[in-house]
């Protein structure tokens, strides 16, 4: 095995040999590729499947619990006839024997869920909603369960040690004179905050505020969608009413000493990017300040969501989760927030968040929720740098529906040639989300074509690398959806934009078609056309020679 110093020196020498040899190898590979391309054989394997067998992941972390994995969903609708596995995970390691323990399979939202999916599928009815998803963030970032009818919910939070994200004990809020209850001014979300006597009436989806001083003409009423995308019409509205002196107070059937947050599930959830961007990050922003002493009251309840993300939800609250739509009580609280705050797509602005939360705080909070190693633990390669046989480990998200890597076996071979140990996502194998987050944690990098599966970067360790393959025509959205969030979470982001020759659109439409010749014209014609051509009809044939500098950049970050 040799000494640690000798091992480290050997590894560095190997990397430098690759760097020096890469230009010469690139010339040889390019010449060989040219011959094969003209013969119509290069990188075109639509029926290819992984030739590599799965192996067991080291289970040196805590034992996994029985939790479901992610789900697949299209933007704005769930169509079971169109579901495909786009990112359930199977670990593959070259030259090893199969093992069933480190695998993921796509399942429906009602029981389990997939890990990668289309983050945007376009529908003419959803034009406005799609526009709301367009991120504008580059200027701010830099590189660098339900209970009902008062019964106990089966999902209970677990009291644990203090999280990494900053938090403070809850202190009873006091309504300021003439304080505005509801704020409808934000373009993304509406939110109401009731300090004092607040009464939640589930069967009527109403939260009533009883002011200390009531005037005969003092009553007001608002109706809001209690999620971070207020323009989605299928999210059920919650009514917030402030009573005047002539209106009777609803009688409390239960009183609670803690505050409550009333919010909606549904919407665009069942897509892992929207699960995090629309619900989990906004819920963290809104609820984390209470340090677990807050009750979550859910409308548009999705039991699969509560079960799937129970580890995260149980860190946000140590109280039962209430299904508001099915609840027959009048619950009285000293403080109620209706709605979820949001700063952008998969984003937190520290200057606008309680206790100056950041996306690093959120990522570390999620890692704590699953019992993953603490913030100071290095990425796996550096943590085991004294092992001379250790290779940098990369998870390859191979989509199964759209924006697929047509030449995935060639990509795996190329990654292996550069010295990576490849963990390949496979949509056909079943596992729990707990197992999957540990699989991601065991990797130094995650790589995939632009799509929701890259959201799993939230489970990487600090300093992990996101290798982001950007399809043709969607460059304008790449940084906002994944680049800026990666940097905000303290991860490294390597972006590679494919050429027209690497897109199957060129073969379908030819050089003279507007889709190839003028992507800006397609973009200006509306989101539906962007979705139709660049998101739904495009697959990727990755040119490993052109891609090589990006892999070298990823290795620089890891080593």
């Amino acid at each position: 095995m040799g000494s640690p110093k000798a091992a480290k020196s050997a590894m560095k020498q190997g990397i430098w040999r690759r760097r020096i040899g890469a230009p010469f190898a690139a010339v040889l590979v390019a010449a060989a590729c040219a011959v094969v391309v003209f013969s119509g054989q290069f990188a075109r394997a639509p029926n290819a499947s992984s030739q590599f067998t799965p192996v067991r992941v080291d289970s040196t972390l805590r034992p996994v619990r029985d939790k479901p994995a992610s789900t697949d969903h299209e933007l704005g609708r769930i169509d079971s006839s169109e579901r495909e596995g786009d990112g359930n995970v199977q670990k593959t390691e070259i030259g090893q024997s199969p093992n069933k323990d480190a695998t993921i399979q796509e399942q429906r939202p009602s029981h389990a869920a997939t890990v990668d999916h289309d983050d945007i599928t376009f529908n003419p009815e959803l034009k406005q909603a799609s526009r709301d998803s367009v991120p504008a963030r580059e200027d701010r970032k830099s590189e660098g369960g339900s209970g009902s009818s008062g019964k106990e919910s089966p999902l209970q939070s677990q009291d644990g040690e203090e999280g990494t994200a900053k938090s403070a004990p809850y202190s009873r809020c006091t309504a300021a004179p003439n304080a505005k209850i509801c704020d409808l001014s934000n373009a993304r979300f509406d939110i109401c905050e009731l300090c004092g006597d607040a009464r939640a009436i589930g069967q009527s989806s109403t939260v009533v505020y009883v002011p200390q001083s009531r005037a005969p003409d003092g009553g007001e009423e608002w109706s809001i969608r209690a999620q971070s995308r207020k323009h989605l019409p299928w999210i059920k509205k919650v009514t917030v009413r402030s009573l005047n002196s002539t209106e009777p107070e609803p009688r409390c059937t239960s009183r609670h000493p803690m505050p409550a947050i009333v919010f909606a599930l549904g919407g665009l959830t069942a897509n892992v990017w929207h699960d995090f961007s629309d619900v989990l990050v906004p819920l963290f922003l809104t609820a984390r300040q209470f340090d677990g002493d807050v009750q979550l009251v859910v409308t548009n309840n999705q039991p699969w969501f509560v079960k799937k993300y129970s580890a995260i939800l149980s860190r946000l609250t140590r109280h039962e989760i209430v299904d508001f739509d099915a609840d027959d009580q009048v619950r009285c609280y000293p403080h109620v927030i209706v709605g979820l705050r949001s700063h952008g797509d998969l984003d937190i602005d520290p200057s606008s968040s309680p206790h100056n939360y950041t996306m690093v705080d959120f990522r570390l909070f999620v890692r704590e929720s699953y019992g993953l190693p603490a913030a100071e633990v290095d990425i796996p390669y550096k943590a085991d740098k004294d092992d001379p046989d250790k290779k940098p480990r990369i998870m390859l998200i191979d989509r199964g529906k759209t924006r697929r890597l047509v030449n995935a076996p060639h990509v795996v071979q190329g990654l292996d040639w550069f010295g990576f140990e490849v963990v390949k996502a496979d949509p056909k194998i079943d596992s729990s989300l707990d197992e999957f987050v540990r699989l991601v944690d065991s990797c130094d990098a995650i790589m995939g074509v632009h799509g929701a599966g890259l959201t799993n970067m939230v489970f990487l360790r600090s300093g992990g690398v996101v290798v982001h393959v950007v399809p043709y025509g969607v460059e304008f959205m790449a940084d906002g959806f994944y680049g800026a969030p990666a940097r905000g979470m303290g991860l490294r982001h390597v972006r590679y934009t494919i050429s027209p020759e690497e897109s199957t659109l060129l073969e379908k439409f030819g050089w003279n078609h507007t889709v190839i010749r003028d992507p800006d014209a397609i973009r200006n014609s509306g989101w539906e056309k962007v979705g139709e051509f660049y998101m739904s009809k495009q697959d990727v044939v990755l040119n490993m020679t052109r891609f090589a500098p990006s892999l070298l950049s990823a290795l620089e970050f890891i080593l």
Side-chain angles (χ1 to χ4, degrees), residues 67-368:
K67 302 273 171 63
S70 310
T71 59
D72 187 19
H73 191 268
E74 294 185 333
L75 177 63
R77 58 197 169 110
I78 299 178
D79 186 344
S80 60
S81 65
E82 296 180 3
R83 287 185 186 278
E84 291 186 31
D86 283 355
N88 289 336
V89 172
Q90 169 185 357
K91 179 185 173 188
T92 63
E93 187 173 348
I94 297 174
Q96 298 294 332
S97 59
N99 185 301
K100 297 180 181 178
D101 292 344
T103 57
I104 301 269
Q105 181 182 12
E106 176 199 34
Q107 295 184 358
R108 303 291 175 90
S110 59
H111 40 290
T114 62
V115 177
D116 184 23
H117 6 269
D118 294 324
D119 52 316
I120 298 184
T121 302
F122 293 86
N123 181 326
E125 298 176 359
L126 301 176
K127 186 172 183 179
Q128 181 62 49
S130 299
R131 284 176 179 157
D132 294 337
S133 299
V134 181
R137 318 169 38 164
E138 292 83 347
D139 59 334
R140 192 148 54 77
K141 298 287 184 180
S142 59
E143 186 75 40
S146 69
S148 63
S149 303
K151 295 180 181 179
E152 186 76 5
S153 166
L155 171 61
Q156 290 291 332
S157 301
Q158 299 173 358
D159 292 328
E161 53 188 67
E162 181 62 31
T164 298
K166 298 173 279 293
S167 60
Y170 170 66
S171 57
R172 190 178 298 269
C173 66
T174 303
N178 302 317
K180 183 169 60 174
I181 293 176
C182 291
D183 183 359
L184 313 184
S185 63
N186 193 282
R188 297 180 65 90
F189 66 93
D190 294 332
I191 195 160
C192 302
E193 188 156 10
L194 293 69
C195 282
D197 189 348
R199 309 185 181 196
I201 309 170
Q203 291 185 334
S204 63
S205 296
T206 301
V207 180
V208 172
Y209 179 54
V210 184
Q212 286 187 337
S213 299
R214 290 192 278 166
D217 57 351
E220 293 183 88
E221 183 172 304
W222 302 264
S223 184
I224 71 169
R225 295 185 177 95
Q227 209 194 79
S228 64
R229 292 186 184 272
K230 68 181 185 180
H231 297 295
L232 297 180
W234 55 88
I235 294 178
K236 186 176 179 180
K237 290 186 175 182
V238 175
T239 300
V240 177
R241 292 175 53 206
S242 177
L243 300 183
N244 61 33
S245 61
T246 65
E247 295 177 290
E249 304 170 7
R251 179 177 172 273
C252 299
T253 60
S254 63
R255 293 186 178 273
H256 306 268
M258 79 292 288
I261 298 174
V262 180
F263 69 98
L265 292 177
L268 303 180
T269 57
N271 169 303
V272 68
W273 190 88
H274 286 286
D275 291 350
F276 277 87
S277 183
D278 298 358
V279 176
L280 294 175
V281 172
L283 185 59
F284 172 85
L285 267 176
T286 310
R288 182 59 181 146
Q289 60 184 311
F290 301 119
D291 196 24
D293 193 19
V294 62
Q295 186 151 57
L296 304 183
V297 181
V298 178
T299 186
N300 275 135
N301 187 32
Q302 308 289 317
W304 66 265
F305 187 101
V306 175
K307 183 179 180 183
K308 172 183 172 183
Y309 296 112
S310 60
I312 298 174
L313 296 176
S314 66
R315 290 285 291 178
L316 288 171
T317 178
R318 52 180 172 267
H319 304 286
E320 66 169 323
I321 295 178
V322 177
D323 184 343
F324 197 38
D325 300 331
D327 193 38
D328 62 359
Q329 295 199 45
V330 177
R331 297 176 180 266
C332 295
Y333 299 95
H335 182 188
V336 171
I337 298 173
V338 181
L340 296 176
R341 296 184 175 90
S342 175
H343 296 163
D345 290 318
L346 205 59
D347 185 31
I348 294 176
D349 176 7
S351 65
S352 302
S353 63
H355 308 286
N356 302 113
Y357 293 135
T358 67
M359 283 299 291
V360 172
D361 290 323
F362 174 76
R363 181 179 59 80
L364 296 180
F365 175 81
V366 169
R367 289 181 57 81
E368 285 180 346

Side-chain angles (χ1 to χ4, degrees), residues 61 113 119 253 326 423 494 548:
L61 302 175
D119 52 316
T253 60
V423 178
V494 177

